[in-house]
Amino acid sequence: MALKSVIFGSTSMVALMLAGAAQAQTVPDSAAAPQADDEVNEIVVTGVRASIVGALNVRRESTQIVDSIVSEDVGKLPDNNVVEALQRVTGIQVTDRAGGETATITIRGLTDPLTTLNGRNIFTAAGTSFALQDISANLVSRVDVYKTRSADQLETGLAGQIDVQTRRPLDFDGFTISGLARGIYSELADKVNPNVALLVSDRWETGIGDIGILVNASFTRAEYRNQNLQAGAMVPFATENPPEGSGLTPLQRIFPGDRNQNWTPGLDAGLPTAPGSTLNINGVETPYYLSRDAVIASDLYGKRERPSINAALQWAPNDSSVYTAEVFYTGFRGETFNSLHFSFADWWGDLPADVANSFELYDGTNIIKSRRMGSVAGFNSGDMATNRTDSYVYALNAKWDVGSQGKISADVAYQDSKNETSFFAIRTDRGPLDLDVDFNAGGGLPAYSFGNQDVLTDASQWTIGNLFDSGTKNTGSALTLMLDGEYKWDEGFLRRIKAGFRYDDRKADSFVRDQGAGGLGVTLDAFGEGTPFTNSGFFDGRADIPTSWVLADPRSMNKDAVRQLYRAVEPGLLLSDQMTFGRVFSINESNLAAYILADGELELFGRPLQLQAGVRFVAIDTLYDYFDRGNDFARTTVSTGSEKFLPSFTARYNITDNLRIRFNYGETLRRPAFGDLNPNLSLTGDLSRIGFGTGSAGNANLRPTHSKNMDLALEWYFERNSAIYVTAFQRKIDGLVVPLTVREFIPNNYLPRNETYTEFFNITRPANASDGTLKGLEVGLTYFPSYLPSVLNGLGFTGSATILDSEQTIPVVNNAGEITGTTKSAFFGVSKLSYNATLAYDNGPIGARLSYIWRKGFLNNNEGRSFANPIGFWRAPEKSLDFQLTWNVNDDIGITFDAVNLTKAKQQNYYKFGDVGNPTEFNSSTLLIDRTFALGVRFKFD
């Protein structure tokens, strides 16, 4: 009923505005409103400054608080993808730089920005978001980052909205052809990768008006190498002299729940680290040491390809109407091969006592820094994964000027997206080896060596172990209709009324397949399928560790032949033509939203005060079908519905011609991801032999997270090409989703019956169990001095800093899943301080940028409560120094050079919760970040 009312109300409002607009056709041109001062004084420059100053113009002219990236020219957004370009925007923080590119973006510390393409919400397959890195920078005209939202904008995304705008043919005066070709050298992979793009556009004056056609295509390929080195998680061990009655031998590992050995894994702050700390073992207070359970090296070789194309047809029959038909396609082709080397570091026997007791503690702790041990087990795993995505957006748009004061726009879009993945991995096991290890030999990096290193590269010393064979398939589609109308007045308090509605019908389906088998027991050299792979040069000589090992390589194998061999231990293993996907969930969601907003203006102290107020009504009806993998895919159906009014208000006051203050209040939502609603279990076995596996499940009762947002900004445009701005903001957020972990017994589950099989699991589910507050301050400066002498003319600076403070409640849960209290924590992904600084130069044929990005360490996530270390997984401070240079040979051709991560920065993690934990005693993993160099040519002829 609510949806029906919204439809009639919205239609009536648009009809009223149409009537007003029709009457306005009689208003003479002389009565048209004069341009605002901002529009009269728009800054017009070219070259590198065009990008920086163009973004400044967008902020100055917008009602909302908007920061932008503006392309210098066709195909000249100065980065490989949109995420990399955004890292220099005020309030933006990026991370996860594996594979030679950034992958994760936050706005003011929040991780859920709404992604739109030309104002349309886009997504990938069965997800609710879109990977921005899949959008080639070559296709982009402009990117707007909305930190506040008005009622006429989509309501989702607590972080804000990122709108990517592509080019249209009527943007150009006539025939235009432009393109680029770049070679990008990846230092870690020692590969040169192509990046090419071509745009062709033309327009004609015809008897039925102007017609334009544009085709813009791009292709990128990257072969990369990720090298990650990790000290394992902490677990307790007996001391060298365990007390009588404990039943322990010297340095024996203490497992939870075994032989009355009493300790609880996954405590927030981990087990106490003070010297002499004890556990109650068999009724005896028993001192313990904390040490790592393993050392792990991951050497991943990857290749990704991204084809994309944007095509548009425009028709402008007259000066007051434009019709646009367009299609946008983006694809992803990914293949990775992970050469994983895993060695346990938790054995306590098989060495003479004087050697076995050879260990070193960190001063003032019970934490073992280094030790020597005998007969440790280990395995390698050759993991091959593929990922293919194809996403299409088809759209029709019409815009009409009705008279001089009215506007109407209508838009219909259909999206279709498919994603399919596969995973095929074979473990190989070795015999026991002596291990000498220092878990932090310096800079957070472990150092280790084996008693017989030659075993690592000898295929006859490794036996064929477990097989893992799985895949996923996800599909999604959406039909979206939008209608908006507005009417303006030139005088009086009321200057504009705008209203509209949006209807979205979204469908998503997700499927999985999963099988596996135990070890075959034959040696790797006698396996008979494929060629063993031996890596080399691991970790670039930056750590004292083995740099080479041998393992099975699925890339060189006939997968069905391998499955046939594994049928000897798992007769039910399926071949390619027998495998089918089982449906996990199917969702149909309809979303109807309607809004109305009004702009007003009055005079305050002789200066204009501009006001905007509106409200957006959102009604969502969702039908979920879930299918239980553990119960022959039995179906459960759930139907939900919700309605919400979301107000917004903005005030903008020009204190002087160049000094402005803005205030904004608005409310936004974060809807649960579809996968987070699926209540069925996804299980992983006891891969590292800790005594239990892990699992995850969704929560069909999740509700949207709701945020009340306030922003106050002061902007001073002190010179024609320069400005300084300060923004204070606060987000009060209700119903934050946090993970809750419970130990569960799940007998006769669907996991393969091999040595990783278990019936005990730590199951993590999301819950709306937290509230929080995020507040902060942004400061930005763009300065291009106008007084510099000739050779320095065109030198400028742009930069910003963001200070954040966040706090959310986190429920404390016991093993039974009962909430026993709450604690406080920072938001995940929030750095308290981040900044970026860019020195730009634009003079004659030369354009250059030198950019530095830095963000303070932050809480990345909580680990799965399986060990004795603090549960918080913290990321060390991150940085990147990048350089970009363009030499314009003439007006049509330019040569470009780019360098990313000049200082070879690393990505590091460590354990921390509250006051417990640090990068030294609690170091975890280190990922080498690629350094890349690119040389290319750009051209444009029109």
Side-chain angles (χ1 to χ4, degrees), residues 130-160:
F130 187 84
L132 272 171
Q133 62 269 29
D134 285 350
I135 300 179
S136 169
N138 306 323
L139 302 185
V140 175
S141 161
R142 190 172 103 188
V143 183
D144 291 329
V145 180
Y146 291 90
K147 285 129 177 225
T148 64
R149 243 89 62 84
S150 58
D152 60 341
Q153 293 177 284
L154 298 179
E155 68 280 352
T156 56
L158 306 187

Side-chain angles (χ1 to χ4, degrees), residues 374-692:
S375 300
V376 295
F379 64 85
N380 292 341
S381 186
D383 307 342
M384 179 181 176
T386 63
N387 188 337
R388 179 188 176 103
T389 302
D390 293 287
S391 298
Y392 299 85
V393 180
Y394 310 92
L396 293 172
N397 180 273
K399 294 181 179 179
W400 301 278
D401 291 337
V402 187
S404 61
Q405 307 292 84
K407 291 184 178 181
I408 299 172
S409 66
D411 193 274
V412 56
Y414 177 76
Q415 296 185 62
D416 179 66
S417 181
K418 296 180 176 64
N419 168 261
E420 189 165 337
T421 70
S422 70
F423 181 77
F424 194 90
I426 297 177
R427 282 197 183 188
T428 46
D429 300 303
R430 61 165 171 78
L433 286 176
D434 295 347
L435 174 66
D436 196 347
V437 58
D438 186 336
F439 295 109
N440 187 353
L445 297 173
Y448 58 91
S449 61
F450 296 94
N452 182 4
Q453 302 261 101
D454 292 340
V455 167
L456 300 184
T457 55
D458 185 352
S460 68
Q461 300 297 310
W462 295 83
T463 57
I464 298 297
N466 298 339
L467 171 70
F468 302 88
D469 186 5
S470 61
T472 65
K473 182 171 68 173
N474 300 282
T475 62
S477 64
L479 176 65
T480 307
L481 307 173
M482 291 186 288
L483 179 64
D484 299 87
E486 65 176 70
Y487 185 71
K488 295 182 178 180
W489 290 269
D490 300 329
E491 297 179 348
F493 170 72
L494 186 63
R495 296 301 177 92
R496 183 179 69 143
I497 289 181
K498 185 179 182 183
F501 78 91
R502 175 180 182 270
Y503 174 74
D504 181 78
D505 183 25
R506 176 74 202 279
K507 295 179 175 63
D509 294 275
S510 184
F511 307 80
V512 299
R513 61 172 181 84
D514 192 11
Q515 63 178 359
L520 290 179
V522 301
T523 60
L524 177 58
D525 63 333
F527 183 42
E529 283 297 329
T531 303
F533 173 77
T534 303
N535 66 336
S536 62
F538 176 71
F539 225 70
D540 200 30
R542 300 196 212 181
D544 185 12
I545 55 171
T547 60
S548 185
W549 52 87
V550 67
L551 40 64
D553 186 354
R555 296 174 299 178
S556 63
M557 297 177 183
N558 180 311
K559 305 298 188 302
D560 276 343
V562 172
R563 294 177 181 118
Q564 288 277 17
L565 290 175
Y566 270 96
R567 280 181 167 178
V569 294
E570 184 62 46
L573 215 61
L574 302 177
L575 304 182
S576 297
D577 59 354
Q578 300 168 317
M579 292 188 297
T580 58
F581 286 97
R583 189 189 300 264
V584 177
F585 69 76
S586 180
I587 292 180
N588 190 351
E589 180 178 87
S590 62
N591 180 337
L592 186 62
Y595 72 89
I596 184 169
L597 63 82
D599 290 346
E601 184 174 316
L602 54 84
E603 191 172 287
L604 182 65
F605 303 118
R607 308 291 303 179
L609 172 63
Q610 297 168 320
L611 305 172
Q612 184 183 93
V615 63
R616 188 176 185 90
F617 176 75
V618 183
I620 303 171
D621 292 315
T622 309
L623 181 67
Y624 311 88
D625 284 326
Y626 297 112
F627 303 85
D628 187 356
R629 296 171 64 187
N631 186 23
D632 198 27
F633 291 94
R635 185 170 82 173
T636 301
T637 299
V638 179
S639 179
T640 63
S642 64
E643 300 174 359
K644 194 78 173 178
F645 285 95
L646 300 170
S648 66
F649 172 78
T650 299
R652 187 174 74 166
Y653 181 61
N654 290 345
I655 301 172
T656 69
D657 288 344
N658 297 317
L659 184 63
R660 170 181 298 158
I661 190 170
R662 305 178 197 241
F663 171 79
N664 176 270
Y665 173 83
E667 298 184 18
T668 50
L669 300 174
R670 174 194 292 165
R671 294 199 188 92
F674 290 152
D676 286 343
L677 296 167
N678 182 2
N680 296 316
L681 292 168
S682 176
L683 303 176
T684 301
D686 185 7
L687 299 181
S688 53
R689 302 171 193 172
I690 58 176
F692 52 88

Side-chain angles (χ1 to χ4, degrees), residues 63-100:
T63 302
Q64 303 300 313
I65 297 175
V66 184
D67 286 306
S68 301
I69 306 166
V70 177
S71 177
E72 301 169 34
D73 204 340
V74 179
K76 289 188 179 180
L77 198 68
D79 294 276
N80 295 325
N81 64 48
V82 172
V83 177
E84 291 182 8
L86 286 169
Q87 65 185 332
R88 287 181 289 276
V89 171
T90 307
I92 294 286
Q93 298 172 341
V94 301
T95 188
D96 296 335
R97 297 175 182 268

Side-chain angles (χ1 to χ4, degrees), residues 766-808:
N768 295 104
S770 176
D771 300 325
T773 301
L774 174 71
K775 54 188 176 182
L777 186 72
E778 293 175 347
V779 180
L781 170 66
T782 296
Y783 184 36
F784 279 92
S786 56
Y787 51 80
L788 296 177
S790 58
V791 70
L792 295 179
N793 186 33
L795 184 66
F797 171 86
T798 182
S800 64
T802 303
I803 302 170
L804 296 171
D805 183 45
S806 65
E807 183 179 81
Q808 68 179 108

Side-chain angles (χ1 to χ4, degrees), residues 118-334:
N118 296 321
R120 304 180 184 101
N121 188 18
I122 54 176
F123 54 83
T124 300
T128 54
S129 61
F130 187 84
L132 272 171
Q133 62 269 29
D134 285 350
I135 300 179
S136 169
N138 306 323
L139 302 185
V140 175
S141 161
R142 190 172 103 188
V143 183
D144 291 329
V145 180
Y146 291 90
K147 285 129 177 225
T148 64
R149 243 89 62 84
S150 58
D152 60 341
Q153 293 177 284
L154 298 179
E155 68 280 352
T156 56
L158 306 187
Q161 177 182 348
I162 299 175
D163 184 39
V164 180
Q165 299 179 28
T166 58
R167 297 186 181 273
R168 309 282 175 72
L170 296 187
D171 295 343
F172 302 98
D173 293 331
F175 177 76
T176 300
I177 181 170
S178 71
L180 65 86
R182 301 167 73 216
I184 305 172
Y185 175 69
S186 166
E187 197 169 56
L188 291 178
D190 193 23
K191 298 287 186 180
V192 176
N193 298 303
N195 176 1
V196 295
L198 182 68
L199 177 147
V200 180
S201 180
D202 203 358
R203 61 184 293 172
W204 303 269
E205 294 182 4
T206 73
I208 58 172
D210 288 356
I211 295 177
I213 297 176
L214 176 146
V215 178
N216 192 1
S218 172
F219 175 81
T220 62
R221 186 182 71 213
E223 293 188 60
Y224 58 91
R225 185 178 182 186
N226 290 341
Q227 300 173 66
N228 191 68
L229 179 62
Q230 182 174 355
M234 286 183 173
V235 291
F237 292 78
T239 62
E240 64 271 40
N241 297 302
E244 187 176 347
S246 67
L248 298 171
T249 59
L251 295 177
Q252 181 178 351
R253 177 172 171 177
I254 305 173
F255 290 90
D258 181 30
R259 291 177 15 212
N260 296 319
Q261 296 171 2
N262 183 18
W263 71 278
T264 302
L267 300 175
D268 287 346
L271 292 181
T273 62
S277 297
T278 62
L279 295 171
N280 188 310
I281 307 297
N282 290 330
V284 178
E285 291 300 319
T286 305
Y288 64 88
Y289 294 137
L290 290 171
S291 189
R292 307 306 181 97
D293 68 336
V295 283
I296 307 154
S298 171
D299 194 2
L300 183 144
Y301 301 79
K303 181 172 74 172
R304 60 174 175 266
E305 295 180 348
R306 290 190 174 108
S308 54
I309 188 168
N310 178 49
L313 170 67
Q314 283 189 297
W315 173 42
N318 50 51
D319 292 339
S320 61
S321 59
V322 178
Y323 301 88
T324 304
E326 58 189 332
V327 60
F328 180 82
Y329 164 77
T330 182
F332 180 84
R333 310 286 183 268

